[in-house]
Amino acid sequence: MSRSTQMNQLGEFLKTRRAELTPRDVGLSETAGPRRVAGLRREEVALLASISPDYYTRVEQGRIQVSAPVLGTLAEVLQLSEDQRSYLFSLAGKTSKRAPRQLRQKVQPQLRRLLDDLSTVPAIVMGRRMDVIAWNRLAAAMITNFSEVPEKHRNYVRILFTDPAMKALYVDWESVARTAVAQLRMEAAKYPDDTRLAVLVGELSVQDPQFRQWWAAHNVASLTTGTKTLRHPTAGDLVLDWDTLIATTDAEQQLVIWTAAPDTSTHEALRFLASWAAGAESLKQA
Protein backbone atom coordinates (compact mmCIF):
# COMPACT_ATOMS: atom_id res chain seq x y z
CA MET A 1 0.00 0.00 0.00
CA SER A 2 1.44 3.39 -0.97
CA ARG A 3 2.13 6.11 1.60
CA SER A 4 -0.53 8.39 0.11
CA THR A 5 -3.12 5.60 0.21
CA GLN A 6 -2.37 4.94 3.88
CA MET A 7 -2.70 8.63 4.71
CA ASN A 8 -6.04 8.79 2.93
CA GLN A 9 -7.24 5.73 4.82
CA LEU A 10 -6.10 7.29 8.09
CA GLY A 11 -8.17 10.37 7.30
CA GLU A 12 -11.22 8.29 6.46
CA PHE A 13 -10.79 6.29 9.66
CA LEU A 14 -10.71 9.47 11.76
CA LYS A 15 -13.73 10.84 9.91
CA THR A 16 -15.70 7.66 10.57
CA ARG A 17 -14.79 7.59 14.25
CA ARG A 18 -15.81 11.21 14.90
CA ALA A 19 -19.11 10.58 13.12
CA GLU A 20 -19.88 7.92 15.74
CA LEU A 21 -19.54 10.31 18.68
CA THR A 22 -22.02 12.89 19.89
CA PRO A 23 -21.08 16.10 21.75
CA ARG A 24 -22.54 14.55 24.89
CA ASP A 25 -20.17 11.57 24.57
CA VAL A 26 -17.17 13.89 25.02
CA GLY A 27 -18.71 16.15 27.65
CA LEU A 28 -19.88 18.96 25.35
CA SER A 29 -23.32 20.54 25.40
CA GLU A 30 -25.65 19.84 22.49
CA THR A 31 -26.16 22.81 20.18
CA ALA A 32 -29.65 24.19 19.81
CA GLY A 33 -29.86 24.10 16.01
CA PRO A 34 -29.54 21.13 13.62
CA ARG A 35 -26.04 19.86 12.87
CA ARG A 36 -25.01 19.59 9.23
CA VAL A 37 -22.83 16.55 9.87
CA ALA A 38 -23.31 13.46 11.98
CA GLY A 39 -21.24 13.23 15.12
CA LEU A 40 -18.53 15.69 16.07
CA ARG A 41 -17.42 18.54 13.85
CA ARG A 42 -13.80 18.79 12.74
CA GLU A 43 -13.45 22.01 14.72
CA GLU A 44 -14.64 20.26 17.88
CA VAL A 45 -12.16 17.40 17.48
CA ALA A 46 -9.35 19.89 16.84
CA LEU A 47 -10.13 21.92 19.95
CA LEU A 48 -10.50 18.81 22.08
CA ALA A 49 -7.09 17.67 20.86
CA SER A 50 -5.54 21.15 21.32
CA ILE A 51 -4.53 21.45 17.67
CA SER A 52 -5.63 23.93 15.03
CA PRO A 53 -8.73 23.17 12.92
CA ASP A 54 -6.65 23.69 9.76
CA TYR A 55 -4.09 21.12 10.91
CA TYR A 56 -6.77 18.56 11.71
CA THR A 57 -8.52 19.19 8.39
CA ARG A 58 -5.30 18.45 6.53
CA VAL A 59 -4.90 15.24 8.57
CA GLU A 60 -8.37 14.04 7.55
CA GLN A 61 -7.65 14.99 3.93
CA GLY A 62 -4.48 12.88 3.93
CA ARG A 63 -2.28 15.90 3.24
CA ILE A 64 0.00 15.79 6.26
CA GLN A 65 1.85 13.22 8.35
CA VAL A 66 0.99 13.14 12.03
CA SER A 67 3.34 12.84 14.99
CA ALA A 68 2.91 10.07 17.54
CA PRO A 69 1.92 12.45 20.41
CA VAL A 70 -0.86 13.98 18.29
CA LEU A 71 -2.06 10.52 17.30
CA GLY A 72 -2.17 9.55 20.97
CA THR A 73 -4.25 12.59 21.84
CA LEU A 74 -6.64 11.98 18.93
CA ALA A 75 -7.05 8.38 20.12
CA GLU A 76 -8.04 9.68 23.56
CA VAL A 77 -10.42 12.32 22.18
CA LEU A 78 -12.14 9.85 19.83
CA GLN A 79 -12.31 7.22 22.58
CA LEU A 80 -10.62 4.54 20.47
CA SER A 81 -10.28 0.98 21.69
CA GLU A 82 -6.82 -0.60 21.93
CA ASP A 83 -7.31 -2.30 18.55
CA GLN A 84 -8.50 0.92 16.92
CA ARG A 85 -5.56 2.80 18.44
CA SER A 86 -3.10 0.25 17.06
CA TYR A 87 -4.74 0.46 13.64
CA LEU A 88 -4.52 4.27 13.69
CA PHE A 89 -0.80 4.19 14.46
CA SER A 90 -0.25 1.50 11.82
CA LEU A 91 -1.89 3.64 9.14
CA ALA A 92 0.32 6.56 10.17
CA GLY A 93 3.44 4.39 10.00
CA LYS A 94 4.15 5.00 13.68
CA THR A 95 4.90 2.64 16.53
CA SER A 96 2.14 2.66 19.10
CA LYS A 97 4.20 3.17 22.22
CA ARG A 98 1.72 4.23 24.82
CA ALA A 99 3.37 6.27 27.53
CA PRO A 100 3.44 4.42 30.85
CA ARG A 101 0.01 4.91 32.39
CA GLN A 102 0.28 7.12 35.42
CA LEU A 103 -1.36 5.48 38.38
CA ARG A 104 -4.15 7.39 40.05
CA GLN A 105 -2.56 9.69 42.57
CA LYS A 106 -3.28 8.99 46.20
CA VAL A 107 -2.72 11.59 48.86
CA GLN A 108 0.34 11.01 51.03
CA PRO A 109 -0.68 9.62 54.46
CA GLN A 110 1.10 12.50 56.23
CA LEU A 111 -0.88 15.04 54.21
CA ARG A 112 -4.13 13.20 54.89
CA ARG A 113 -3.50 13.38 58.64
CA LEU A 114 -2.60 17.06 58.37
CA LEU A 115 -5.77 17.80 56.41
CA ASP A 116 -7.90 16.14 59.06
CA ASP A 117 -6.17 18.09 61.85
CA LEU A 118 -6.72 21.46 60.14
CA SER A 119 -10.22 21.83 61.52
CA THR A 120 -10.38 25.64 61.18
CA VAL A 121 -8.18 26.00 58.08
CA PRO A 122 -9.58 25.11 54.63
CA ALA A 123 -7.07 22.98 52.73
CA ILE A 124 -6.86 20.82 49.61
CA VAL A 125 -4.15 18.71 48.01
CA MET A 126 -3.65 19.20 44.29
CA GLY A 127 -1.80 16.71 42.12
CA ARG A 128 -0.84 16.57 38.46
CA ARG A 129 -2.73 18.88 36.08
CA MET A 130 -4.25 20.56 39.20
CA ASP A 131 -6.48 17.60 40.00
CA VAL A 132 -7.96 17.82 43.51
CA ILE A 133 -6.93 14.55 45.14
CA ALA A 134 -7.81 15.33 48.77
CA TRP A 135 -9.53 17.97 50.89
CA ASN A 136 -10.71 18.57 54.41
CA ARG A 137 -14.23 19.21 55.63
CA LEU A 138 -13.81 22.98 55.81
CA ALA A 139 -12.53 23.21 52.22
CA ALA A 140 -15.60 21.28 51.06
CA ALA A 141 -17.82 23.68 53.00
CA MET A 142 -16.04 26.76 51.69
CA ILE A 143 -15.50 25.88 48.01
CA THR A 144 -17.63 22.92 46.95
CA ASN A 145 -18.44 19.39 48.05
CA PHE A 146 -15.68 17.69 46.08
CA SER A 147 -17.04 14.24 46.94
CA GLU A 148 -20.07 14.99 44.76
CA VAL A 149 -17.87 15.77 41.73
CA PRO A 150 -17.06 12.67 39.61
CA GLU A 151 -13.43 11.74 40.18
CA LYS A 152 -12.45 12.20 36.53
CA HIS A 153 -13.84 15.76 36.67
CA ARG A 154 -12.35 16.61 40.06
CA ASN A 155 -9.99 19.21 38.67
CA TYR A 156 -9.67 22.71 40.14
CA VAL A 157 -9.60 24.51 36.77
CA ARG A 158 -12.49 22.47 35.37
CA ILE A 159 -14.59 23.24 38.44
CA LEU A 160 -13.78 26.95 38.16
CA PHE A 161 -15.07 27.08 34.59
CA THR A 162 -17.95 24.60 34.65
CA ASP A 163 -19.59 25.14 38.05
CA PRO A 164 -21.76 28.30 37.89
CA ALA A 165 -21.52 28.64 41.69
CA MET A 166 -17.82 29.52 41.36
CA LYS A 167 -18.58 32.84 39.67
CA ALA A 168 -20.80 33.77 42.59
CA LEU A 169 -18.29 32.51 45.17
CA TYR A 170 -15.19 34.36 43.94
CA VAL A 171 -15.68 38.13 44.03
CA ASP A 172 -13.01 38.58 41.34
CA TRP A 173 -13.68 35.35 39.48
CA GLU A 174 -12.01 36.56 36.27
CA SER A 175 -8.69 37.23 38.01
CA VAL A 176 -8.85 33.87 39.82
CA ALA A 177 -9.68 32.04 36.58
CA ARG A 178 -6.95 33.79 34.57
CA THR A 179 -4.39 32.84 37.20
CA ALA A 180 -5.61 29.23 37.23
CA VAL A 181 -5.25 29.01 33.43
CA ALA A 182 -1.70 30.36 33.69
CA GLN A 183 -0.93 27.78 36.38
CA LEU A 184 -2.35 25.02 34.17
CA ARG A 185 -0.05 26.26 31.39
CA MET A 186 2.87 25.64 33.72
CA GLU A 187 1.58 22.12 34.34
CA ALA A 188 1.38 21.53 30.59
CA ALA A 189 5.06 22.47 30.27
CA LYS A 190 5.99 19.93 32.96
CA TYR A 191 3.92 17.15 31.36
CA PRO A 192 3.95 17.78 27.58
CA ASP A 193 2.86 14.23 26.74
CA ASP A 194 0.00 14.05 29.24
CA THR A 195 -2.97 13.19 27.04
CA ARG A 196 -5.46 13.68 29.88
CA LEU A 197 -4.24 17.24 30.29
CA ALA A 198 -4.49 17.81 26.53
CA VAL A 199 -8.06 16.49 26.52
CA LEU A 200 -8.93 18.70 29.52
CA VAL A 201 -7.63 21.78 27.70
CA GLY A 202 -9.52 20.79 24.56
CA GLU A 203 -12.81 20.29 26.38
CA LEU A 204 -12.57 23.62 28.20
CA SER A 205 -11.53 25.38 24.99
CA VAL A 206 -14.68 24.14 23.26
CA GLN A 207 -16.97 24.88 26.19
CA ASP A 208 -15.72 28.30 27.28
CA PRO A 209 -14.52 31.15 25.01
CA GLN A 210 -12.79 32.90 27.92
CA PHE A 211 -10.72 29.81 28.69
CA ARG A 212 -9.87 29.49 24.99
CA GLN A 213 -8.75 33.14 24.84
CA TRP A 214 -6.68 33.01 28.03
CA TRP A 215 -5.07 29.68 27.11
CA ALA A 216 -4.02 31.12 23.75
CA ALA A 217 -2.34 34.06 25.55
CA HIS A 218 0.36 31.65 26.87
CA ASN A 219 0.63 33.36 30.25
CA VAL A 220 2.24 31.19 32.94
CA ALA A 221 2.27 31.24 36.75
CA SER A 222 3.31 28.95 39.57
CA LEU A 223 1.27 27.94 42.57
CA THR A 224 2.76 30.17 45.26
CA THR A 225 0.85 32.60 47.49
CA GLY A 226 -1.85 35.22 47.13
CA THR A 227 -5.09 36.65 48.45
CA LYS A 228 -8.64 35.75 47.43
CA THR A 229 -11.95 37.36 48.35
CA LEU A 230 -14.98 35.07 48.58
CA ARG A 231 -18.66 35.82 49.06
CA HIS A 232 -19.82 32.69 50.81
CA PRO A 233 -23.56 31.98 51.04
CA THR A 234 -23.27 30.85 54.68
CA ALA A 235 -20.19 32.57 56.14
CA GLY A 236 -20.45 35.89 54.30
CA ASP A 237 -17.49 37.82 52.89
CA LEU A 238 -14.09 36.18 53.39
CA VAL A 239 -10.69 37.74 52.66
CA LEU A 240 -8.21 34.86 52.70
CA ASP A 241 -4.47 34.50 52.25
CA TRP A 242 -3.57 31.32 50.42
CA ASP A 243 -0.27 29.50 50.41
CA THR A 244 1.14 26.41 48.73
CA LEU A 245 3.35 23.79 50.38
CA ILE A 246 5.03 21.05 48.33
CA ALA A 247 5.21 17.58 49.86
CA THR A 248 8.82 16.45 50.17
CA THR A 249 7.66 12.85 49.82
CA ASP A 250 6.01 13.57 46.45
CA ALA A 251 6.76 16.81 44.59
CA GLU A 252 3.64 16.24 42.46
CA GLN A 253 1.41 16.82 45.50
CA GLN A 254 0.86 20.37 46.72
CA LEU A 255 -1.01 21.39 49.84
CA VAL A 256 -3.01 24.59 49.34
CA ILE A 257 -4.27 26.30 52.49
CA TRP A 258 -6.40 29.40 53.11
CA THR A 259 -5.86 31.37 56.31
CA ALA A 260 -6.89 34.67 57.91
CA ALA A 261 -5.15 36.84 60.47
CA PRO A 262 -6.38 36.44 64.06
CA ASP A 263 -8.99 38.88 65.36
CA THR A 264 -10.35 39.57 61.87
CA SER A 265 -13.91 39.06 60.71
CA THR A 266 -12.72 36.38 58.28
CA HIS A 267 -10.96 34.48 61.07
CA GLU A 268 -14.18 34.42 63.07
CA ALA A 269 -16.21 33.51 59.95
CA LEU A 270 -13.97 30.50 59.31
CA ARG A 271 -14.57 29.27 62.85
CA PHE A 272 -18.29 29.71 62.35
CA LEU A 273 -18.15 27.84 59.02
CA ALA A 274 -16.14 25.02 60.63
CA SER A 275 -18.78 24.66 63.35
CA TRP A 276 -21.57 24.77 60.77
CA ALA A 277 -19.86 22.11 58.61
CA ALA A 278 -19.33 19.85 61.62
CA GLY A 279 -23.00 20.20 62.55
CA ALA A 280 -24.11 19.40 59.00
CA GLU A 281 -21.89 16.31 59.00
CA SER A 282 -23.38 15.15 62.30
CA LEU A 283 -26.90 15.48 60.92
CA LYS A 284 -25.95 13.36 57.89
CA GLN A 285 -24.59 10.61 60.12
CA ALA A 286 -27.52 10.69 62.52
Side-chain angles (χ1 to χ4, degrees):
M1 187 186 301
S2 69
R3 179 75 260 168
S4 61
T5 300
Q6 281 185 297
M7 290 174 64
N8 287 334
Q9 288 192 3
L10 183 147
E12 287 298 317
F13 179 66
L14 291 174
K15 185 177 180 180
T16 302
R17 296 287 77 79
R18 71 176 170 87
E20 294 175 344
L21 293 173
T22 67
R24 182 174 297 178
D25 292 332
V26 294
L28 303 180
S29 59
E30 298 281 357
T31 55
R35 300 173 69 88
R36 295 193 307 170
V37 296
L40 298 177
R41 299 187 177 101
R42 282 175 175 169
E43 293 80 6
E44 291 169 333
V45 174
L47 283 172
L48 289 168
S50 298
I51 57 179
S52 73
D54 177 66
Y55 181 91
Y56 181 73
T57 297
R58 285 185 287 160
V59 171
E60 274 202 3
Q61 292 174 345
R63 295 163 48 202
I64 189 172
Q65 294 192 22
V66 196
S67 67
V70 171
L71 286 172
T73 301
L74 288 174
E76 292 281 343
V77 168
L78 297 174
Q79 301 178 11
L80 301 187
S81 67
E82 285 298 321
D83 287 344
Q84 290 172 331
R85 189 179 190 278
S86 297
Y87 179 66
L88 177 69
F89 273 76
S90 177
L91 288 176
K94 306 290 183 183
T95 302
S96 178
K97 291 184 178 179
R98 185 187 288 275
R101 184 177 293 276
Q102 292 176 318
L103 298 177
R104 182 172 66 87
Q105 281 184 289
K106 294 183 178 180
V107 64
Q108 293 290 308
Q110 302 93 319
L111 288 181
R112 179 70 268 175
R113 291 195 296 270
L114 179 58
L115 282 174
D116 293 339
D117 285 342
L118 293 174
S119 59
T120 60
V121 175
I124 63 174
V125 176
M126 286 202 291
R128 292 185 294 269
R129 72 188 75 86
M130 298 175 70
D131 288 344
V132 179
I133 60 175
W135 58 92
N136 64 5
R137 182 166 58 196
L138 189 50
M142 187 181 78
I143 303 172
T144 190
N145 189 348
F146 295 103
S147 64
E148 294 182 353
V149 180
E151 185 177 353
K152 66 178 182 179
H153 292 159
R154 206 176 287 155
N155 175 275
Y156 181 71
V157 182
R158 181 193 289 276
I159 292 170
L160 266 181
F161 279 89
T162 60
D163 186 347
M166 293 300 102
K167 290 190 177 182
L169 178 65
Y170 288 103
V171 172
D172 190 1
W173 176 87
E174 182 171 323
S175 175
V176 172
R178 280 178 178 269
T179 300
V181 173
Q183 291 164 343
L184 190 64
R185 262 284 178 196
M186 191 70 81
E187 289 290 294
K190 287 191 287 185
Y191 309 107
D193 298 325
D194 189 330
T195 54
R196 285 185 57 191
L197 195 152
V199 170
L200 169 66
V201 169
E203 290 178 358
L204 292 178
S205 295
V206 172
Q207 294 175 21
D208 194 289
Q210 285 180 300
F211 178 91
R212 185 164 62 247
Q213 176 187 351
W214 297 337
W215 183 260
H218 287 265
N219 293 321
V220 294
S222 297
L223 278 168
T224 52
T225 62
T227 301
K228 286 186 172 71
T229 303
L230 281 63
R231 184 156 295 147
H232 194 274
T234 300
D237 289 352
L238 306 171
V239 180
L240 296 157
D241 297 318
W242 62 274
D243 207 340
T244 308
L245 308 174
I246 299 175
T248 56
T249 50
D250 183 353
E252 291 184 331
Q253 296 192 24
Q254 301 178 81
L255 176 71
V256 183
I257 59 173
W258 290 265
T259 60
D263 301 322
T264 62
S265 59
T266 296
H267 188 259
E268 293 304 313
L270 283 180
R271 290 179 176 276
F272 164 75
L273 187 60
S275 176
W276 176 87
E281 185 69 21
S282 297
L283 287 175
K284 282 184 180 179
Q285 295 176 355

